[in-house]
Amino acid sequence: MAAMGRAGSRRGVTAVVGSCWVSLHAWCGPLPALLFAVLVAGSCEGNSVERKIYIPLNKTAPCVRLLNATHQIGCQSSISGDTGVIHVVEKEEDLNWVLADGPHPPYMILLDGSLFNRKVMQQLKGTSRVSGLAVSIAKPNPPQGFSPGLKCPNDGFGVYSKDYGPQYAHCNRTVWNPVGSGLSYEDFDFPIFLLEDANETQVIKQCYQDHNVPTDGSGPEYPLCAMQLFSHMHAVTSTVTCMRRNSIQNTFSINPETVCDPLLDYNVWSTLHPINSSEKVDPKKEFIMVATRETFDYIGSSRMVYDMEKDKFPLRLENIHSFVELNQVALRNDSILWMHTDPVSRLNATVEPQIKNLLDVLSNSSVGANVTLQEVGFSQSLPPSSFQRFLRARHIPGVVLTDHQASFQNRYYQSMYDTPENIQMQYPEGLSPEEALEYVTDTAKSLAEVATVVARALYRLAGGANDTSAIQADPKTITQMLYGFLIKMNNSWFQSIIKPDLKGILGDDVPQHYVAVSSPVNTTYLVQYVLANLTGTVVNLTKEECLNPEKAPNTEKEMYDYAWVQGSLDPNSTSRVPYCVRSTVRLSKALSPAFELREWGSTEYSTWTESRWKEIRARIFLVASKELEIITLVVGIAILVFSLVATHFINAKADVLFSIPRDPGAVAY
């Protein structure tokens, strides 16, 4: 956005310069030429003046507006942006100045992250003295925990309802996220920006210290340091409203303007045994499904179940023998991994023995490992999981593996503090990026143990021999994945396993973990190519054959996906050694069925949409008093009037003021 703004300013200067030159040729006199030369110079300095007035804040993350079938949540500014005098709030007592005592409302609050909680936000939400909020990240992380998500995540979209296990619905037995404040699901009528750069936070604080600090309880003198936030959203009310407006625009407008977009991405799926992706699998064939989920009311899993039911996916629900889901597994106490099952389906005499067998195989696979698998009691429901969406459609034996027996171990669920440090990813000082990529952390070793146990169990469930001691997950591979997905995705391993035309997705340090509206997002691509790299095979095909496998013999294009990837750098040059990877990894659309069915008010499927916006930016500057602004305006008007009068006078007397004297020697007799 900042780059677009600068380009726009340059175009404006060019236009002014061009018009000034036209006018200059029209006047043909020394005084007007001087005046317009000054105007040209002043116009050319416009960008420089703007840079001196405003300090842009480039490392920010805005709160935007999301909508579902019934509500809108998130934040927005007015259409022209919101402005206010900056006040730093580092303890609750500082709020008194903003809410009552301060003489210069409205205020833009620089809020310490430790105070970004429901109690404070409710106070700010109910006053017109606040025009916006910039939140700095608390250091260290809030010890009491912080989660802006709901106490009962995905409530209403899982398997439990008034018709199925009503005693477990709405987290009646277990509150999964007890520290959840629900702030992410509130609607604020002022902009909120997260400050991601400590240096920019310090610049704001310094500006506040220099100009805005109250003295002896009285207001500071002008000029004051102010902040302006732009984040106006186009969509309002609900998904039903915004999608109806989209539909009307597309039907009747020549240039339709979309106001919101459905949240969507792609599911990444693969089978170890290749299947024809364009045909349906034999109903007699059985598969063990291993999964992990997305977060907005099961968008991905509900779409996959829908496609299976509608014969739009190679597998049917009947093909699923059993289901194993890995949920949160990084924060284990005493190396215990908990096995969660559905207490309702276990009352089914056919399903219960299958679940018991699944639990036994998993437990036996942990013998001799540094991971202990324990079963959660019968009286507890499943935690939020994709498996719930499959259970809504069919009784399937399944287990969800987590690091928590009841409530989440993760005290920073869905928050800005849910970082690599939260799962104890620690690196020695002074490592280069390449050394950090290869450094095997304790977290990687711990997760390798989990992967080993799960892999051994899956091998046995699929009919493999009982002796699985040779199956061992590689901690180095896991540490590379953790580093790439959580710390720095632009690394040598990721560079080597993706297609050349996708190398642009590695531009940022950390992948985008938000599902978004433009897809696939970079995380999805990376999951796809990591999975292809680890489960696929390098085949001896040329680039042309790899890109067009139907032109090569025996490629079985319906059974496999082919990718021409960049490869590693040649040790003796700066060029790469590309190669062709054949795998069974594919993508399937993860768009809620509600949008395919045009049921925007659905309570069966997720209906989340994201509002569109024109621009998002933040900046600080010094603001003068209202009195000075009025004086400046009056003086400006006076100068304008004087200029118009002077111009009229000069025009009227131009023949006298600019006449050329006669040459005496040219007199004719």
Side-chain angles (χ1 to χ4, degrees), residues 226-457:
M227 181 184 295
Q228 191 172 33
L229 302 178
F230 297 84
S231 62
H232 181 68
M233 300 288 133
H234 293 174
V236 295
T237 309
S238 68
T239 288
V240 175
T241 300
C242 79
M243 291 300 292
R244 185 171 63 241
R245 289 178 179 175
N246 285 350
S247 180
I248 293 173
Q249 285 275 337
N250 292 329
T251 303
F252 298 106
S253 177
I254 298 176
N255 298 307
E257 181 179 346
T258 301
V259 296
C260 69
D261 301 282
L263 295 185
L264 79 154
D265 197 22
Y266 282 82
N267 292 321
V268 183
W269 65 276
S270 173
T271 57
L272 291 183
H273 178 76
I275 61 174
N276 192 322
S277 60
S278 61
E279 296 180 357
K280 300 297 176 290
V281 172
D282 186 336
K284 296 179 181 178
K285 287 189 176 181
E286 293 186 317
F287 291 78
I288 302 165
M289 181 167 282
V290 186
T292 189
R293 70 186 186 93
E294 295 169 277
T295 189
F296 280 96
D297 294 343
Y298 309 118
I299 293 175
S301 49
S302 64
R303 179 53 186 259
M304 182 167 282
V305 171
Y306 174 82
D307 286 345
M308 287 180 174
E309 291 176 320
K310 302 299 181 182
D311 285 340
K312 296 181 178 181
F313 194 79
L315 298 181
R316 300 178 176 90
L317 291 169
E318 292 81 1
N319 293 120
I320 302 177
H321 170 272
S322 52
F323 199 106
V324 177
E325 179 166 348
L326 285 110
N327 212 302
Q328 303 174 46
V329 295
L331 297 174
R332 303 191 308 279
N333 279 338
D334 301 323
S335 298
I336 296 175
L337 203 60
W338 294 96
M339 300 183 292
H340 299 258
T341 57
D342 172 39
V344 179
S345 60
R346 294 192 70 171
L347 298 176
N348 185 301
T350 304
V351 175
E352 165 60 14
Q354 296 173 293
I355 295 177
K356 191 73 173 105
N357 177 63
L358 187 58
L359 295 171
D360 290 342
V361 171
L362 282 164
S363 297
N364 293 334
S365 298
S366 67
V367 175
N370 291 328
V371 177
T372 302
L373 273 79
Q374 291 189 16
E375 182 182 350
V376 174
F378 257 65
S379 61
Q380 186 167 290
S381 64
L382 284 169
S385 52
S386 290
F387 181 42
Q388 292 201 30
R389 290 300 304 194
F390 285 82
L391 277 178
R392 283 179 71 138
R394 181 181 176 86
H395 282 302
I396 299 173
V399 173
V400 178
L401 303 178
T402 74
D403 57 16
H404 55 88
Q405 180 181 11
S407 300
F408 295 162
Q409 289 281 96
N410 185 2
R411 294 176 295 122
Y412 305 107
Y413 180 71
Q414 292 184 344
S415 84
M416 56 222 182
Y417 303 110
D418 195 1
T419 60
E421 293 76 17
N422 185 37
I423 58 172
Q424 286 82 52
M425 280 182 63
Q426 298 173 343
Y427 296 86
E429 293 288 338
L431 291 185
S432 67
E434 197 63 27
E435 290 170 336
L437 174 66
E438 302 292 331
Y439 180 80
V440 179
T441 62
D442 291 339
T443 302
K445 295 174 184 177
S446 174
L447 290 176
E449 293 283 351
V450 174
T452 297
V453 170
V454 173
R456 290 175 178 176

Side-chain angles (χ1 to χ4, degrees), residues 140-176:
N141 293 355
Q144 72 278 13
F146 172 77
S147 171
L150 298 172
K151 293 182 182 296
C152 187
N154 301 77
D155 186 25
F157 291 89
V159 68
Y160 303 110
S161 65
K162 61 182 178 63
D163 301 317
Y164 187 97
Q167 67 272 33
Y168 305 112
H170 312 300
C171 299
N172 283 337
R173 295 284 181 89
T174 306
V175 178
W176 296 108

